[in-house]
Amino acid sequence: QVQLVESGGGLVQAGGSLRLSCAASGSIFSINAMGWYRQAPGKQRELVATITSGRSTNYADSVKGRFTIARDNAKNTVYLQMNSLKPEDTAVYYCNLDHSDYGRHFVSWGQGTQVTVSI
């Protein structure tokens, strides 16, 4: 079983910064990609940023230029540096792990961490 542990969420004022971390542990054979998704009240869960094992990144248009995703392969950890935060960024942020094991494909999720941006 794979476990994803998120940290770094909290309350911050608009314009401030937060850094989210997600450490993956367990029976991980090969990581295809890691990413961050978020879900605000009354809205669907949406992609924020992803990073592949080849270090390709993808960002939602709403966060481009403000958020940066990075990973430490040795630690199986993915980070999300969030700058210039806006109230619209308020959501539960979920860590995502796309991984494979001898031809089998898995997607794992963290429990989520709350990010609240005040005016």
Side-chain angles (χ1 to χ4, degrees), residues 61-118:
D61 288 341
S62 60
V63 307
K64 285 182 179 178
R66 300 189 297 119
F67 291 10
T68 302
I69 189 169
R71 64 186 293 181
D72 186 332
N73 291 336
K75 297 179 179 179
N76 287 336
T77 300
V78 64
Y79 307 91
L80 185 67
Q81 178 66 47
M82 305 185 294
N83 299 324
S84 302
L85 283 162
K86 305 175 181 179
E88 306 92 271
D89 296 318
T90 295
V92 177
Y93 284 70
Y94 296 91
C95 180
N96 170 269
L97 173 66
D98 184 305
H99 57 111
S100 301
D101 184 4
Y102 298 104
R104 299 185 298 172
H105 181 227
F106 305 92
V107 177
S108 299
W109 294 91
Q111 290 184 290
T113 183
Q114 177 70 48
V115 172
T116 302
V117 184
S118 64

Side-chain angles (χ1 to χ4, degrees), residues 15-55:
S17 299
L18 285 174
R19 185 180 185 236
L20 305 183
S21 299
C22 174
S25 62
S27 301
I28 303 172
F29 180 76
S30 180
I31 295 176
N32 303 315
M34 300 186 75
W36 291 94
Y37 294 72
R38 68 186 182 187
Q39 187 167 22
K43 299 186 68 177
Q44 299 271 48
R45 183 158 56 185
E46 64 177 355
L47 181 147
V48 178
T50 60
I51 184 167
T52 69
S53 59
R55 300 174 188 175

